[in-house]
Amino acid sequence: QVDVVESGGGLVQAGSSLRLSCAASARTFTWYDMAWFRQAPGKEREFVAVITWNGRNTHYADSVKGRFTISRDNAKNMAYLQMNSLKPEDTAVYYCASGRAEIDQYDYWGQGTQVTVSS
């Protein structure tokens, strides 16, 4: 049983869009907040966006605000990250995680999907 699996990464040009998907099991999705993080080469992992378990609240890193949109489909145990107006500095491995945003604790992580934005 796979807990969290990301997909949708790829190589795109600056200004393009990508949608990342995160498939989770009911055990790791229901009642959990879902978040996206990213890690660029030589840098620490950083928070990107989070959506609460009921989908009512979202929060974004300043660097992606207005360009990225996080969403979830609770009927399908799926979370998404729509990324628009991509920049070369968005290049990173993107990770999906489930947990509790209010205590900044994420217990289940995917293996990551590579996003590369060329200039």
Side-chain angles (χ1 to χ4, degrees):
Q1 180 178 358
V2 179
D3 290 332
V4 178
V5 180
E6 306 93 339
S7 62
L11 171 62
V12 297
Q13 290 187 332
S16 300
S17 298
L18 271 179
R19 189 175 85 150
L20 304 183
S21 297
C22 174
S25 65
R27 181 177 68 89
T28 61
F29 188 87
T30 307
W31 307 118
Y32 283 100
D33 304 325
M34 298 300 293
W36 290 93
F37 292 79
R38 67 186 182 186
Q39 187 167 20
K43 295 187 177 181
E44 293 188 353
R45 186 174 62 198
E46 65 174 356
F47 166 82
V48 175
V50 65
I51 185 167
T52 53
W53 66 272
N54 56 10
R56 291 178 183 173
N57 295 295
T58 59
H59 180 65
Y60 298 90
D62 287 343
S63 58
V64 306
K65 201 171 293 183
R67 299 188 297 121
F68 290 11
T69 302
I70 189 171
S71 61
R72 66 189 293 159
D73 184 336
N74 286 353
K76 297 181 178 179
N77 294 340
M78 294 288 295
Y80 305 97
L81 185 67
Q82 178 67 43
M83 306 185 294
N84 298 330
S85 302
L86 283 162
K87 304 175 181 180
E89 50 263 45
D90 294 320
T91 294
V93 177
Y94 284 71
Y95 297 91
C96 179
S98 70
R100 302 295 184 193
E102 61 184 4
I103 58 173
D104 197 26
Q105 179 175 320
Y106 296 93
D107 299 316
Y108 303 100
W109 293 80
Q111 81 290 347
T113 185
Q114 177 71 47
V115 172
T116 302
V117 184
S118 63
S119 57

